[in-house]
Each structure stands twice: as structure tokens, then as C-alpha cells.
């Protein structure tokens, strides 16, 4: 496997960082998670929202006082090259990470220089997308914007996600749902959340301490095209238990129906019709099967382009 490291595409085994690396100690790295989907029938491979993920990364690194040499266009091109060179003919996950490479002690964001590394790995379903998953409300609270901003994909912030997810797994659930400091629903450990009540889709707003998810945005687009009403507002824990449908969404998670929260069955305990409808459209769209959503895709293998 090849990776992008210090401005070059090189062998994975040659891409090493020192144990003295500043960001390794303080969690001051910002990463992204991008997917590329392989369609066996048409032998095509498309990156999903590649530009949007790198735009988010370039916007977000500013907050940690980071700068990288690569432009948006270069990052997209490097990513295409990497997936091609690694000869992936399967669904892949692409992980860019920007970090302070300096071998220096002190948790600060000035006086250091940032670098980007990018690697790819085959990735099927990260969590179940068919039968529905069991979730647990975490006893860990989501970070607030004035602690570690949840709007940025900061490496160190994922300690919060890891604690929540581990607690859920140990309790026999598949995934955690995390509340914010007000006790309202924020998101999953690494997914945004939607509920359905009376045929309306509801998702927490940006002021509820969530990541501004790219899949969340895509789902709002699908819903609008289906004439399904979408509300962005705070959701209480109780409203979750009595929702008609719930699903989690994210680049890794894709769309994952939630059929149980804290041992309470959601509606019939089966994935609901609106969730299934949106899921079907999403999975067709990411494989290039829906014309109006092809602007979501970056062709990586496509004989027609
Ligand atoms: N929330 C968190 C905390 C995440 O880590 C992710 C995954 N990136 C998401 C939501 C979903 O975001 P996206 O749809 O942009 O992948």
C-alpha cells in the first residue's frame, strides 16, 4: 500500500513519525474520513464528497492555527492517485490527517509547522446498515464548543467518542448516543442523528454541539427532494425513546437504522419506512446510479470520463 507523506506518495512502511511528534502527545491533529465506492457492475469508482471533505478540513485547520502547502485541487488529485495506485477494487475509506510534525514539547498552536498525511484502507460497513442497531445513551457528555470544538474533527476530541462507544459496547449495545451539556441529543460517537416523528425528519442543530456532517447535509437534500419536511432543533432524550424512527448517519457509518435505545424498542423495533427510503436513495447515489446526485461524486475509475 502507498500513502501520501511529507509531500510524496511513498510505501506505507516508509511513512514513520517520531515518538517526539508534538501532535501525538496533545491530540492536536485534525482529520477527515472520506469514502470511495466501487461499483462492480459498471467497473466504476467514485469518491463521495471529496471536495466537500477537503473544504471542511482546510476551513477547520485554521482554528488550530495550521497551514499546509497542498491546495484543495492538489488534495483531490493526490487522493484520486492514491486510490488508483493502491488498486482498490472495493469500497475504500480515505483518511487525511493534518498534524504538527515538530519534535517539540509544549501544548500550543504557535511556532509549529503542520503536515498532511493521507492513507487508504478497504472498508465495508462500519456498523450495520440493514437490520438496525442497538444504542445506549452515554454517561459521558459531548464536549462543548468552548472546550474542544465539536465542529472540528480534532483527534483529541475522539477520546470522548471512544469512551462513549466503549461504554455502549461493554453494555452489549452497538453504538452510543451522546447528550450535550443541556441534556439534549447531540450525536452518535462518530455519526449525526435523525429522528422521524409524524413524517417529519428532525436533527439537532449546529448549536447542539455536533459535527457539521456532510452526510447529514446530503440527507437533508434527499429529504427535500422527496418533499419530506426537515426540522433542525434540539431533541430531548425522551423524544428519542418515543420517536417513530431513528437513524445515524456519517461517511463511515453511512445510514444505520436504530431499533433500540437503552433497551427500549423504537416503534416496531424494525427499521422504519422513511429510513429505508432515504437509505436506498443514498446507496444508489453513492454508486453513481442517480443522475441528479452525480455532482456528489469524483470519478476515480470511469471509462466514460
Ligand atoms: N459526528 C461525528 C462526531 C463524526 O466523527 C462524524 C464522522 N465524520 C459525523 C458526525 C458524520 O460526519 P460526516 O457525515 O461528515 O462523515
Amino acid at each position: 500500500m502507498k500513502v501520501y507523506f511529507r509531500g510524496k506518495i511513498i510505501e506505507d512502511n516508509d511513512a514513520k513519525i517520531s515518538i517526539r511528534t508534538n501532535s501525538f502527545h496533545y491530540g492536536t491533529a485534525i482529520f477527515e474520513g472520506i469514502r470511495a465506492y466501487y461499483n462492480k457492475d459498471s467497473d466504476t469508482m467514485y469518491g463521495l464528497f471529496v471536495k466537500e471533505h477537503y473544504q471542511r478540513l482546510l476551513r477547520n485547520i485554521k482554528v488550530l492555527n495550521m497551514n499546509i502547502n497542498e491546495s484543495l485541487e492538489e488534495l483531490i488529485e493526490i487522493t484520486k492517485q492514491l486510490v488508483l495506485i493502491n488498486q482498490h477494487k472495493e469500497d475504500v475509506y480515505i483518511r487525511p490527517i493534518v498534524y504538527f510534525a515538530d519534535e517539540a514539547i509544549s501544548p500550543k498552536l504557535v511556532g509549529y509547522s503542520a503536515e498532511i498525511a493521507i492513507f487508504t484502507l478497504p472498508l465495508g460497513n462500519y456498523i450495520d446498515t440493514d437490520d438496525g442497531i442497538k444504542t445506549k445513551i452515554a454517561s459521558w457528555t459531548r464536549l462543548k464548543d468552548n472546550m474542544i470544538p465539536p465542529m472540528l474533527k480534532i483527534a483529541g476530541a475522539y477520546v470522548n467518542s471512544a469512551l462513549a462507544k466503549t461504554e455502549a459496547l461493554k453494555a452489549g449495545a452497538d453504538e452510543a448516543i451522546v447528550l450535550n451539556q443541556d441534556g439534549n441529543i447531540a450525536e452518535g460517537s462518530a455519526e449525526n442523528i435523525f429522528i422521524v416523528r409524524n413524517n417529519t425528519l428532525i436533527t439537532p442543530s449546529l448549536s447542539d454541539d455536533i459535527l457539521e456532517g456532510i452526510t447529514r447535509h446530503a440527507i437533508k437534500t434527499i429529504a427535500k427532494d422527496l418533499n419530506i419536511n426537515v426540522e433542525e432543533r434540539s431533541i430531548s432524550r425522551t423524544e428519542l425513546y418515543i420517536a417513530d424512527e431513528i437513524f445515524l448517519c456519517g461517511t463511515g457509518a453511512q445510514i444505520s437504522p436504530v431499533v433500540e435505545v437503552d433497551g427500549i424498542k423504537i416503534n416496531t423495533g424494525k427499521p422504519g419506512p422513511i429510513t429505508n427510503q432515504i437509505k436506498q436513495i443514498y446507496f444508489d447515489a453513492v454508486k453513481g446510479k442517480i443522475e441528479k446526485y452525480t455532482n456528489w461524486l469524483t470519478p476515480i475509475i470511469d471509462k466514460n470520463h
Side-chain angles (χ1 to χ4, degrees):
M1 282 284 211
K2 300 268 189 200
V3 301
Y4 182 74
F5 184 68
R6 303 212 165 125
K8 292 198 188 78
I9 291 181
I10 61 166
E11 273 304 320
D12 207 342
N13 280 339
D14 296 330
K16 297 267 167 33
I17 59 165
S18 162
I19 57 167
R20 296 170 188 265
T21 304
N22 185 267
S23 284
F24 173 56
H25 291 262
Y26 306 114
T28 50
I30 297 202
F31 64 92
E32 268 301 329
I34 310 172
R35 265 187 189 269
Y37 287 91
Y38 180 62
N39 185 339
K40 212 171 160 198
D41 299 336
S42 51
D43 189 28
T44 51
M45 184 144 201
Y46 300 118
L48 178 64
F49 296 120
V50 179
K51 185 175 174 194
E52 289 77 1
H53 280 281
Y54 281 117
Q55 281 173 328
R56 181 168 72 185
L57 183 70
L58 292 175
R59 261 198 320 268
N60 291 355
I61 61 173
K62 288 197 300 193
V63 185
L64 293 200
N65 204 32
M66 291 168 152
N67 261 307
I68 53 172
N69 295 327
E70 294 80 354
S71 66
L72 176 65
E73 291 69 30
E74 284 167 345
L75 291 169
I76 296 170
E77 197 47 44
I78 293 161
T79 301
K80 281 162 67 173
Q81 289 310 318
L82 208 53
V83 174
L84 279 174
I85 289 170
N86 286 332
Q87 297 185 324
H88 289 294
K89 290 235 167 167
E90 65 228 321
D91 295 345
V92 294
Y93 189 73
I94 302 146
R95 167 55 56 86
I97 182 161
V98 180
Y99 60 99
F100 286 121
D102 305 69
E103 296 178 15
I105 292 292
S106 183
K108 59 183 173 72
L109 305 168
V110 289
Y112 299 144
S113 51
E115 289 181 1
I116 184 163
I118 310 173
F119 61 87
T120 64
L121 65 140
L123 187 70
N125 285 349
Y126 166 75
I127 44 177
D128 176 77
T129 58
D130 293 325
D131 302 330
I133 57 165
K134 295 178 177 171
T135 61
K136 183 184 184 307
I137 304 278
S139 64
W140 301 93
T141 304
R142 191 82 183 107
L143 295 155
K144 255 185 113 53
D145 192 67
N146 62 359
M147 300 171 174
I148 300 179
M151 278 187 81
L152 317 179
K153 283 180 73 69
I154 300 181
Y158 281 79
V159 173
N160 184 257
S161 295
L163 287 166
K165 173 109 184 183
T166 303
E167 182 183 53
L169 293 175
K170 283 189 171 173
D174 305 299
E175 190 47 270
I177 293 174
V178 190
L179 305 179
N180 62 24
Q181 284 222 316
D182 299 326
N184 291 321
I185 307 299
E187 54 190 342
S189 70
E191 308 87 17
N192 289 114
I193 189 167
F194 281 84
I195 68 169
V196 178
R197 294 197 68 198
N198 303 320
N199 297 318
T200 294
L201 266 180
I202 311 166
T203 194
S205 56
L206 294 184
S207 52
D208 280 312
D209 296 315
I210 63 167
L211 184 83
E212 192 171 12
I214 291 170
T215 319
R216 175 180 177 274
H217 189 260
I219 285 163
K220 288 198 292 183
T221 306
I222 295 173
K224 277 177 195 144
D225 290 347
L226 291 172
N227 284 322
I228 297 171
N229 194 23
V230 182
E231 276 180 24
E232 285 183 52
R233 61 160 174 84
S234 296
I235 300 171
S236 70
R237 179 178 189 157
T238 311
E239 205 176 4
L240 201 63
Y241 296 141
I242 61 170
D244 300 332
E245 301 180 31
I246 305 175
F247 63 88
L248 297 175
C249 69
T251 304
Q254 308 170 104
I255 295 180
S256 183
V258 172
V259 293
E260 202 179 294
V261 183
D262 290 342
I264 299 175
K265 256 192 199 166
I266 301 309
N267 206 348
T268 59
K270 298 224 162 55
I274 293 183
T275 305
N276 282 339
Q277 190 183 14
I278 290 175
K279 197 184 84 181
Q280 186 61 48
I281 294 171
Y282 182 80
F283 280 117
D284 283 345
V286 301
K287 298 229 162 173
K289 295 182 189 169
I290 302 183
E291 191 57 40
K292 68 177 162 190
Y293 299 137
T294 48
N295 62 336
W296 295 2
L297 308 173
T298 300
I300 297 175
I301 306 173
D302 188 347
K303 290 179 219 97
N304 303 319
H305 285 77

